[in-house]
Amino acid sequence: MQAAIATWIEDHLIPEMVKLRKLPVENATDDDEIKIRSVHASSLEISGFALTAPFKVHVELYTFANPSHVTAHNLVVKKTPPVPPEMYAGAQFDLLFKNEAVAYTEIIPMLSDKEKYPKYYYSETKATEATLVMDDFSNNGWKMSKNVYDLSLDHILCAVIEIGKFHGECYALKESKPEVFYNITKKLSETRYNNMDPTYQIVMKASVGRAIKAVQEGEYKRKIPAEFLLQLGLLLSNDPKKFGFDAVQPVEPLAIITHSDFLRNNIAFKYENDDPDSKPIDAMMFDMQTMRYSSPAIDLVTLLSNSAMHDVRGPNLDIILKKYHNTLINTLQAKMEPNYKIPEKYNFDNFYKEYVRMVPYGLHISTTFLPMLLEPIDNLHELMSEQFDPAKMQEMLTNRGGETVNVEIAHQIHECYELFKKLNMNLIDG
């Protein structure tokens, strides 16, 4: 499959982009004929879970009038895998790719530090395939963290600064140009809960069952009231699609444009001395296919429940949330007029309460996704085919990741209980 896609990129996609003049050539005029000197595509190795197949592509172009002057492009091409039409529709690949195109063409260009994000070149969606082409950001010093799920506090703080800046800029747009802001939100499609595969719902129910069992058989069995545990289990497993759909609905006044899949797999870092073993100094989100208008806390709980383990998240939660909030407020203030006064609705307590309200949503994601992060599925076709076999998929995910998953999910449930108790909140009303 990988070789066939690479050949398609070399023989069809890049020539088509050149024909449409989607790849610039230095000093070329509109009348110059652009030629391909060379093109090479190879599959990009991913550490972690990825539904689409990314490829690194090196292209060298020149003009007929000046063949000695070559312009090189290092690209990443995201391509949907060849799957049956019903699977393609169920995964909603067309909406995922359209969302990402909206992000790169309408949202990223409005950000103050837009230059740090990869340049978008081209996308296309067809009946059963979708493609997106952008710069390869690894050539600009961005790297994936070595850890797939257990990020250090320094990594987490870099990540929340990144999402805090993004949310702050979006709040500034919402405050200053509401028409522009809401027009963008209308172009973003819900890609997870409006058409969830029934098999996936079965798997989610089983994953919640595993989580509840982990508490009942672990160190927290006497520290979490049975009533709370029962209520949480029913909330997450009774109707996973409805729970997820309800959870991501925008609630004012804090609703904002969110990444919605903000975890290690979709965050690149820069490091001191360009050394991935040293301290991270900056973060950049990418893979913006699930952007939506929703709670800002979605990005925080997704990150902290899937990319930070208890020993980092638990004792440092206040530090993490304050770093996020301070970054957001400073960004919002900097984007607005000098006499702008930050409204009370954006105070830290309101964001903290919103975070706690969304913690069950973090569990909704981590109970299913964390096992695949700790023990990745080697073959994408395995995942695609297993979705047609609920029993086999259920067995695979309820054991995947072993005791490490059980212990971590139990920690998350205990944290959920303690946070709700601390703020005197209940699971049903938030």
Side-chain angles (χ1 to χ4, degrees):
M1 179 191 75
Q2 302 294 76
I5 295 178
T7 300
W8 174 84
I9 291 171
E10 296 170 350
D11 295 347
H12 170 76
L13 177 63
I14 297 302
E16 181 68 14
M17 290 179 63
V18 170
K19 179 181 176 182
L20 296 172
R21 303 184 81 87
K22 296 295 185 180
L23 291 174
V25 174
E26 188 178 358
N27 298 326
T29 68
D30 291 343
D31 296 327
D32 281 333
E33 183 181 358
I34 298 176
K35 299 282 191 179
I36 299 175
R37 172 152 295 176
S38 65
V39 55
H40 176 70
S42 59
S43 61
L44 183 61
E45 186 176 340
I46 296 294
S47 57
F49 175 84
L51 199 56
T52 52
F55 287 77
K56 291 173 74 79
V57 184
H58 181 76
V59 184
E60 293 186 354
L61 306 175
Y62 66 96
T63 63
F64 183 78
N66 188 7
S68 63
H69 185 78
V70 176
T71 297
H73 290 284
N74 292 295
L75 310 171
V76 167
V77 174
K78 294 173 65 175
K79 182 86 169 69
T80 50
V83 294
E86 63 272 16
M87 179 60 67
Y88 183 89
Q92 300 189 91
F93 281 123
D94 56 338
L95 297 181
L96 289 167
F97 276 72
K98 286 177 182 176
N99 276 357
E100 189 150 31
V102 170
Y104 278 109
T105 58
E106 300 197 41
I107 299 174
I108 296 301
M110 293 190 297
L111 301 182
S112 299
D113 52 355
K114 57 183 177 291
E115 298 302 326
K116 87 173 186 179
Y117 295 94
K119 184 176 180 180
Y120 162 89
Y121 288 104
Y122 180 72
S123 65
E124 64 177 7
T125 55
K126 297 181 179 180
T128 57
E129 63 181 63
T131 308
L132 187 137
V133 184
M134 67 187 71
D135 267 335
D136 181 357
F137 56 71
S138 67
N139 287 288
N140 296 318
W142 295 103
K143 296 176 172 62
M144 302 300 293
S145 67
K146 287 188 173 181
N147 286 7
V148 176
Y149 60 90
D150 186 11
L151 299 191
S152 69
L153 179 59
D154 286 333
H155 282 88
I156 293 298
L157 291 176
C158 271
V160 297
I161 288 172
E162 163 73 349
I163 203 64
K165 287 179 180 177
F166 177 69
H167 289 168
E169 297 234 20
C170 289
Y171 280 122
L173 183 64
K174 184 179 180 182
E175 292 275 323
S176 62
K177 298 178 181 177
E179 268 191 49
V180 174
F181 176 84
Y182 285 111
N183 280 338
I184 292 174
T185 66
K186 291 173 184 175
K187 296 178 183 179
L188 298 173
S189 301
E190 175 55 47
T191 56
R192 184 169 285 161
Y193 299 110
N194 60 345
N195 188 28
M196 182 181 283
D197 189 307
T199 299
Y200 190 57
Q201 294 195 65
I202 294 172
V203 170
M204 295 188 84
K205 290 186 177 187
S207 298
V208 173
R210 173 187 184 176
I212 299 302
K213 184 179 179 182
V215 172
Q216 292 171 333
E217 296 180 353
E219 64 175 295
Y220 295 120
K221 60 184 176 182
R222 292 186 177 87
K223 297 180 181 179
I224 302 175
E227 182 181 356
F228 180 90
L229 201 58
L230 175 63
Q231 197 175 51
L232 180 65
L234 290 174
L235 180 68
L236 298 180
S237 66
N238 186 49
D239 189 341
K241 178 182 176 181
K242 183 179 186 304
F243 170 79
F245 184 83
D246 290 345
V248 302
Q249 295 309 298
V251 177
E252 301 299 347
L254 296 184
I256 198 62
I257 295 172
T258 62
H259 183 285
S260 297
D261 201 15
F262 190 66
L263 70 170
R264 177 268 177 193
N265 288 4
N266 300 324
I267 305 170
F269 295 91
K270 282 190 175 180
Y271 293 88
E272 290 181 345
N273 304 316
D274 200 31
D275 178 5
D277 289 321
S278 64
K279 184 177 180 178
I281 56 176
D282 198 4
M284 176 190 70
M285 64 181 185
F286 62 94
D287 199 353
M288 306 179 199
Q289 296 183 331
T290 55
M291 277 194 167
R292 57 165 70 96
Y293 182 48
S294 187
S295 167
I298 277 184
D299 289 331
L300 296 170
V301 297
T302 300
L303 174 71
L304 295 181
S305 63
N306 291 281
S307 298
M309 300 293 269
H310 170 67
D311 61 335
V312 167
R313 182 188 58 249
N316 297 300
L317 182 61
D318 282 2
I319 293 171
I320 293 166
L321 295 184
K322 284 177 181 176
K323 176 67 75 173
Y324 161 79
H325 183 258
N326 288 340
T327 303
L328 185 157
I329 294 301
N330 290 338
T331 303
L332 172 58
Q333 187 71 70
K335 291 290 290 185
M336 301 299 287
E337 295 293 330
N339 61 351
Y340 177 78
K341 187 178 184 336
I342 300 291
E344 186 63 20
K345 63 187 177 184
Y346 295 137
N347 69 38
F348 176 75
D349 288 346
N350 286 341
F351 277 91
Y352 191 93
K353 184 176 181 180
E354 183 66 4
Y355 173 82
V356 174
R357 184 179 76 87
M358 294 303 296
V359 166
Y361 180 81
L363 281 162
H364 166 77
I365 301 297
S366 64
T367 52
T368 303
F369 197 58
L370 198 57
M372 291 190 284
L373 289 175
L374 269 76
E375 191 178 338
I377 297 173
D378 295 328
N379 193 323
L380 184 63
H381 289 294
E382 177 189 344
L383 175 63
M384 292 298 195
S385 61
E386 297 294 359
Q387 286 193 342
F388 293 105
D389 186 346
K392 193 171 182 181
M393 187 73 170
Q394 179 175 321
E395 180 184 359
M396 178 183 71
L397 283 184
T398 51
N399 294 295
R400 210 168 193 88
E403 190 61 18
T404 302
V405 168
N406 294 339
V407 171
E408 171 57 24
I409 294 296
H411 281 314
Q412 292 187 23
I413 292 177
H414 181 250
E415 290 169 21
C416 177
Y417 167 69
E418 291 293 338
L419 286 168
F420 270 77
K421 183 174 72 170
K422 176 181 176 181
L423 296 191
N424 196 27
M425 295 168 59
N426 66 74
L427 288 169
I428 302 303
D429 300 328

